[in-house]
Amino acid sequence: TFQRQLQQSDCQNALMKKVFDTHMLFLQINQSAAALKHVFAALRLFVGKFPSAFFQGQADLCGSLCYEILKCCNHRSRSTQTEASALLYFFMRKNFEFNKQKSIVRSHLQLIKAVSQLIADAGIGGSRFQHSLAIINNFANGDKQMKNVNFPAEVKDLTKRIRTVLMATAQMKEHEKDPEMLVDLQYSLANSYASTPELRRTWLESMAKIHARNGDLSEAAMCYIHIAALIAEYLKRKGKINIFKTNYVSINIIVE
């Protein structure tokens, strides 16, 4: 009935947000395994009908959905884990198809961010979550329609990176009382995302907080300067900022 209204502005509108939030409530409030099975089916239909809401424009809806699905991947029910893994695989596949079989950049980024957030919120990373990652890899390896494209390799790379984040976080927990070792681990993780500025910024901000907490203000300042440089470089590439060098100072002029 409201499909035309939902598709306005490439699905970036207030009505779409309300419908999406209603779907999310079913994942945020405890449900039975039988009810969740129907919720996952409804979400597959929703993503299939309105891919623009998730893979175009703002990434808020994509990030929220990734967070809730990953939380279900850590569910105590094995059937719910399987359903959540299947939905996540379907979501990444739709992202790949939406990008004309080029990449899953958006879902990759949002899933890594969601994992980082869930580590703090729910303590994921145990055998249940690892089992879900294995299911996703199995789906990718057995998908005959995707055999001749790079999608399975992208899925494998994503799950590998998620495991890297989980391992690094476990190491950080072991060295939480050793600030220098902790920062060194975070620096290594930040460098592993040199091609993904948004994630690199997340870990640099975390490093800055640790330095500030330990009274190492110069080191904290360097982290924030590095973050500012990442943002400036991004704005320059987008044509939002022009940088003019004089004999004394670099002058930044914001275009918009």
Side-chain angles (χ1 to χ4, degrees), residues 9 11 22 51 96 128 131 186-187 219 221 237 254:
S9 304
C11 297
T22 303
F96 189 72
R128 290 184 297 194
H131 175 72
Q186 290 194 333
Y187 179 71
E219 287 81 356
R237 289 180 179 179
I254 304 297

Side-chain angles (χ1 to χ4, degrees), residues 7-240:
Q7 289 177 331
Q8 286 180 355
S9 304
D10 292 324
C11 297
Q12 308 293 315
N13 57 72
L15 182 60
M16 173 59 74
K17 182 68 168 62
K18 290 180 179 179
V19 173
F20 174 78
D21 287 344
T22 303
H23 278 82
M24 290 298 95
L25 277 174
F26 286 103
L27 294 179
Q28 292 161 355
I29 299 172
N30 288 334
Q31 309 287 345
S32 67
L36 281 173
K37 186 174 181 179
H38 295 289
V39 173
F40 292 136
L43 282 168
R44 282 195 294 272
L45 181 64
F46 187 60
V47 172
K49 274 183 173 289
F50 305 104
S52 297
F54 302 96
F55 309 127
Q56 192 167 306
Q58 296 294 321
D60 298 352
L61 302 191
C62 181
S64 297
L65 183 58
C66 288
Y67 181 90
E68 296 300 336
I69 299 175
L70 282 173
K71 196 161 64 173
C72 291
C73 287
N74 202 47
H75 200 275
R76 62 181 177 275
S77 166
R78 188 56 65 95
S79 63
T80 299
Q81 288 177 39
T82 303
E83 290 283 347
S85 302
L87 174 58
L88 192 55
Y89 178 76
F90 172 81
F91 187 72
M92 291 188 287
R93 198 175 190 273
K94 279 294 176 185
N95 189 184
F96 189 72
E97 292 170 354
F98 187 83
N99 288 343
K100 299 178 180 178
Q101 298 193 341
K102 292 180 180 178
S103 70
I104 55 169
V105 172
R106 170 161 291 191
S107 54
H108 182 125
L109 174 61
Q110 296 304 318
L111 283 166
I112 294 294
K113 287 183 67 178
V115 167
S116 303
Q117 187 178 351
L118 277 166
I119 287 169
D121 296 347
I124 63 169
S127 58
R128 290 184 297 194
F129 192 75
Q130 295 289 350
H131 175 72
S132 294
L133 293 179
I135 292 173
I136 293 168
N137 272 329
N138 289 338
F139 278 131
N141 293 331
D143 194 337
K144 294 180 180 179
Q145 292 181 341
M146 292 289 166
K147 188 176 181 180
N148 297 320
V149 293
N150 66 336
F151 178 67
E154 293 215 18
V155 173
K156 186 177 181 180
D157 177 63
L158 173 58
T159 55
K160 182 180 177 181
R161 285 182 176 271
I162 289 174
R163 287 193 174 99
T164 299
V165 172
L166 294 173
M167 288 174 60
T169 305
Q171 288 180 316
M172 288 175 199
K173 195 168 184 180
E174 290 178 10
H175 298 283
E176 59 187 356
K177 294 184 180 179
D178 184 350
E180 292 183 356
M181 186 64 181
L182 182 60
V183 168
D184 190 56
L185 288 168
Q186 290 194 333
Y187 179 71
S188 297
L189 197 56
N191 281 344
S192 71
Y193 283 99
S195 60
T196 314
E198 190 171 354
L199 288 174
R200 196 174 191 191
R201 174 188 172 181
T202 299
W203 291 107
L204 284 168
E205 285 177 340
S206 181
M207 287 170 59
K209 289 177 183 176
I210 293 172
H211 281 310
R213 190 165 60 241
N214 295 326
D216 300 324
L217 301 184
S218 296
E219 287 81 356
M222 288 299 295
C223 290
Y224 286 122
I225 289 171
H226 200 113
I227 292 168
L230 287 173
I231 295 171
E233 185 178 1
Y234 174 81
L235 291 172
K236 183 182 178 183
R237 289 180 179 179
K238 285 287 185 179
K240 303 288 185 182

